[in-house]
Amino acid sequence: MANDTEHDLETTLTAIEAAPDADALEAIRVAALGKKGWVSALLKTLGQMSPEERQEKGPAIQATRAQIADAIAVRKQALDDAELERRLASETLDLTLPAAEAPQGSVHPVSQVMDELAEIFADLGFAVKTGPEIEDDWHNFTALNMAESHPARAMHDTFYFPDRDAEEQPASSSEAVGKQERMLLRTHTSPVQIRTMKDEGAPLRIIAPGRVYRSDSDATHTPMFHQVEGLVIDKDIHLGHLKWTLETFLKAFFEREDIVLRLRPSYFPFTEPSVEVDVGFAIENTRRVLGGSGDDPGHGWMELLGSGMVNRRVIEFAGLDPDEWQGFAFGVGVDRLAMLKYGMDDLRAFFDGDYRWAAHYGFSPLAQPTLSAGVGERA
Ligand code: PHE
């Protein structure tokens, strides 16, 4: 019996030392110390022994149990240490490796161009202003010298909101709420002229980039598009200032010295006189490239923006004295500027949200446009 036990103990201790992993170790523990294990069986025999016999054999059996339990604990620690060593060895970090490239979005050409505009005009002393896209009739039309019956309103394909008054009191007259308060999606950025003059008075130099809305849709028109408004209010401002400002802006924006402008008389209710500005271009590889006079051989003129001296009535509507203050304003399509500068030909793609288009035409978020580094550098 004693020999058997010694033999079993030897075997068990050898097996423990050789156990390759925690599972194997556990199997050995169960076979020895588990409920049906051989050491447990020995322990149970103690109960049937005489006190003398128990006194003689008990300590040996207890010692066997303790020896096995100790050996298991030692082996377990060794296995854990080895596992930790293995992980430490396999999970080393090489901090000298270049960082893995993380997926990175790109700046939409419209945002890029707006940043470029802000940079160029900041250099000329213009601040950036914004106004609400949900506008009231008064700011969008009336204060810009477009009275309710004004035919120019028809050209704007306006999205109107349902008449609140008519909805609430269908039986009574909807005339009660002035048409001035009728809400709409602004059709141009010009209402920001009014808001800024009212809020800040004069003198002023601002640009106002933002979304505008007209019910129109084809390859060159989308129901939502972007404009940037420019407004200068001061004393003794004249058309020469307007022309110089536009020329300076367009040369900086298109990064060409040979931008040539042609000013044509035009009509906008909010400017007087009004000037449509054309710019000379040539066709290079089927693309319009701005530069040179439109009268040069192989060149043409392209209509680019609307502008003029701010109408006296607009200055009055905005609460300023038109005998003291005057100025110029202009409005230009931001999407159009982006298409011309970066060679996109379908406006609808701007707003499809196709990742591939954005990846192709987008700009690095780390390359902020600056006048010194170039406002149009593709990173
Ligand atoms: N608001 C005009 C438009 O949307 C553009 C414009 C702005 C013209 C300012 C003159 C002065 O067509």
Side-chain angles (χ1 to χ4, degrees):
M1 166 90 189
N3 279 344
D4 271 3
T5 306
E6 263 162 43
H7 173 72
D8 284 347
L9 177 60
E10 280 307 307
T11 314
T12 300
L13 291 177
T14 311
I16 288 171
E17 251 169 75
D21 54 39
D23 285 349
L25 195 58
E26 175 63 7
I28 296 167
R29 190 192 65 79
V30 170
L33 309 180
K35 257 190 206 159
K36 294 177 181 160
W38 65 269
V39 179
S40 306
L42 280 180
L43 285 166
K44 278 181 202 147
T45 62
L46 288 174
Q48 287 122 44
M49 290 178 188
S50 65
E52 296 75 26
E53 202 181 359
R54 192 180 307 141
Q55 216 158 37
E56 185 198 329
K57 292 189 174 165
I61 294 172
Q62 293 293 2
T64 299
R65 198 183 69 117
Q67 226 178 324
I68 290 171
D70 286 353
I72 286 174
V74 167
R75 182 63 187 155
K76 181 156 186 344
Q77 188 62 52
L79 284 174
D80 286 353
D81 288 352
E83 169 65 10
L84 185 62
E85 280 302 324
R86 196 188 57 71
R87 280 183 46 196
L88 287 176
S90 69
E91 290 176 10
T92 49
L93 279 179
D94 183 349
L95 297 179
T96 66
L97 282 176
E101 237 180 81
Q104 179 187 276
S106 57
V107 175
H108 195 281
V110 170
S111 305
Q112 171 76 16
V113 165
M114 285 182 174
D115 287 350
E116 294 176 15
L117 293 171
E119 177 70 16
I120 292 168
F121 278 101
D123 197 51
L124 301 175
F126 285 62
V128 175
K129 294 287 160 192
T130 55
E133 290 167 32
I134 296 175
E135 193 44 287
D136 58 58
D137 189 280
W138 189 81
H139 286 92
N140 195 80
F141 289 127
T142 308
L144 288 160
N145 196 31
M146 281 187 265
E148 239 170 81
S149 55
H150 202 292
R153 284 192 176 207
M155 287 159 49
H156 279 230
D157 303 309
T158 311
F159 289 113
Y160 285 101
F161 284 85
D163 189 329
R164 274 177 300 182
D165 190 58
E167 264 182 10
E168 278 158 25
Q169 305 163 303
S172 76
S173 88
S174 58
E175 314 283 274
V177 160
K179 281 267 161 37
Q180 315 280 305
E181 287 169 40
R182 189 165 49 165
M183 302 305 281
L184 46 81
L185 291 177
R186 69 177 180 188
T187 58
H188 51 178
T189 42
S190 299
V192 185
Q193 289 187 33
I194 306 298
R195 289 184 175 275
T196 313
M197 280 189 271
K198 279 184 95 63
D199 287 353
E200 300 182 12
L204 274 181
R205 279 187 216 176
I206 59 142
I207 58 167
R211 296 187 189 97
V212 300
Y213 303 83
R214 290 183 203 181
S215 173
D216 205 352
S217 193
D218 59 38
T220 52
H221 297 88
T222 49
M224 186 281 300
F225 58 106
H226 299 83
Q227 285 189 336
V228 61
E229 195 81 6
L231 175 70
V232 169
I233 297 288
D234 211 322
K235 295 178 176 179
D236 307 320
I237 296 292
H238 55 74
L239 267 181
H241 296 119
L242 169 62
K243 187 176 184 219
W244 181 88
T245 303
L246 291 177
E247 231 165 49
T248 304
F249 146 50
L250 293 170
K251 282 178 181 174
F253 180 73
F254 288 107
E255 294 176 289
R256 292 181 70 125
E257 269 306 305
D258 63 344
I259 299 289
V260 181
L261 302 187
R262 182 175 75 175
L263 272 53
R264 266 184 304 115
S266 182
Y267 174 75
F268 298 102
F270 32 92
T271 47
E272 181 57 36
S274 298
V275 179
E276 201 101 44
V277 176
D278 299 338
V279 54
F281 71 94
I283 301 279
E284 285 174 20
N285 298 323
T286 75
R287 257 181 67 182
R288 284 181 180 205
V289 177
L290 298 197
S293 162
D295 295 330
D296 287 348
H299 283 64
W301 292 110
M302 181 171 57
E303 192 182 306
L304 189 61
L305 57 88
S307 64
M309 302 307 295
V310 181
N311 193 305
R312 290 176 59 88
R313 291 179 55 95
V314 172
I315 291 177
E316 241 163 23
F317 272 121
L320 298 175
D321 177 358
D323 289 325
E324 186 180 2
W325 302 103
Q326 83 272 68
F328 65 78
F330 61 87
V332 52
V334 173
D335 317 288
R336 183 107 189 280
L337 288 174
M339 290 168 90
L340 279 169
K341 182 167 177 179
Y342 296 114
M344 287 89 77
D345 51 18
D346 191 340
L347 180 62
R348 287 167 297 196
F350 273 62
F351 313 121
D352 278 350
D354 186 329
Y355 172 74
R356 293 162 301 179
W357 186 90
H360 181 73
Y361 285 111
F363 293 81
S364 165
L366 300 176
Q368 292 294 312
T370 61
L371 282 183
S372 53
V375 285
E377 244 40 78
R378 215 176 259 283

